[in-house]
Amino acid sequence: MEQSAQQARQLDHLASAPAPGGSPFAAFGMPGFGGPASAAPPEPRPILELEGEEYEDELDALSDWVDDFLLPVYGAEVTTAAPWCLQWQEHDDVVAWLHALWLAHQQHKDPEAGLSGMLVWHRDFLTHAMAAIRAPGGPLSACMTSPERPAHRILPGPPPSTRTEKAATEPRSESSGSGESYELMA
């Protein structure tokens, strides 16, 4: 009899309406039936798409992470095989790489990433990014290769394509593109 009464109470509880405002899917970040959708967190944007104060704030936070965490733990020795630059913030490509690495670090250290989150970050992000940034022919190759000789030089990038240069110097045609002839360059 007691077991039947307990089952009846369970059935009553399960059949009752959910608490107002509560969502049976809240643990998954989903709204309840007919309830308002929860505000999505802002999507991270690549740092090179930011401007002004927003860029400066993001660069400051990135610099803190690089100086306080990344370099002391994973910086290793500065050599010709692994150059570094004390002014890395002036190398746009390095800033972009480190920012992406930092965003991935934040994602993979989150408890929702699971117990293997940090291993995935090491395997899939850290090793590749640091190898690209600090490669002997990489973006910092003209900078410091010995702690006793600090250096900073931004290497010139490739010039614009000939098509881009040609388009910039020629007046724009008003035609819609039909009937135009194109010359092949040898």
Side-chain angles (χ1 to χ4, degrees):
M1 288 299 268
E2 179 60 34
Q3 189 176 21
S4 292
Q6 184 180 10
Q7 288 176 342
R9 285 191 298 273
Q10 273 186 314
L11 286 173
D12 288 343
H13 173 72
L14 292 172
S16 66
S23 166
F25 307 108
F28 303 106
M30 299 171 58
F33 299 111
S38 59
E43 290 187 26
R45 291 178 28 211
I47 193 167
L48 297 182
E49 290 181 4
L50 305 177
E51 295 177 354
E53 190 174 324
E54 189 178 19
Y55 174 83
E56 292 299 324
D57 291 345
E58 193 75 358
L59 186 60
D60 286 345
L62 174 61
S63 297
D64 290 344
W65 180 76
V66 168
D67 293 340
D68 297 340
F69 173 73
L70 186 68
L71 289 181
V73 178
Y74 303 104
E77 185 178 7
V78 174
T79 66
T80 54
W84 187 248
C85 183
L86 297 175
Q87 298 174 45
W88 61 265
Q89 296 93 340
E90 295 179 20
H91 297 266
D92 285 343
D93 47 354
V94 174
V95 169
W97 271 103
L98 291 174
H99 187 253
L101 184 62
W102 179 45
L103 293 177
H105 181 263
Q106 292 177 55
Q107 177 184 359
H108 285 84
K109 75 174 189 172
D110 189 278
E112 289 184 15
L115 297 175
S116 63
M118 289 308 296
L119 177 64
V120 170
W121 179 76
H122 282 88
R123 181 194 68 201
D124 294 349
F125 300 95
L126 174 71
T127 304
H128 180 68
M130 293 301 276
I133 293 167
R134 299 189 69 187
L140 302 179
S141 61
C143 293
M144 183 171 64
T145 57
S146 169
E148 285 80 39
R149 294 186 313 275
H152 169 68
R153 191 174 107 206
I154 297 178
L155 298 173
S161 69
T162 55
R163 179 183 174 144
T164 303
E165 284 183 351
K166 187 176 178 181
T169 58
E170 290 182 358
R172 281 215 107 148
S173 169
E174 296 297 320
S175 68
S176 63
S178 59
E180 290 184 29
S181 63
Y182 292 95
E183 294 179 30
L184 294 176
M185 299 179 74

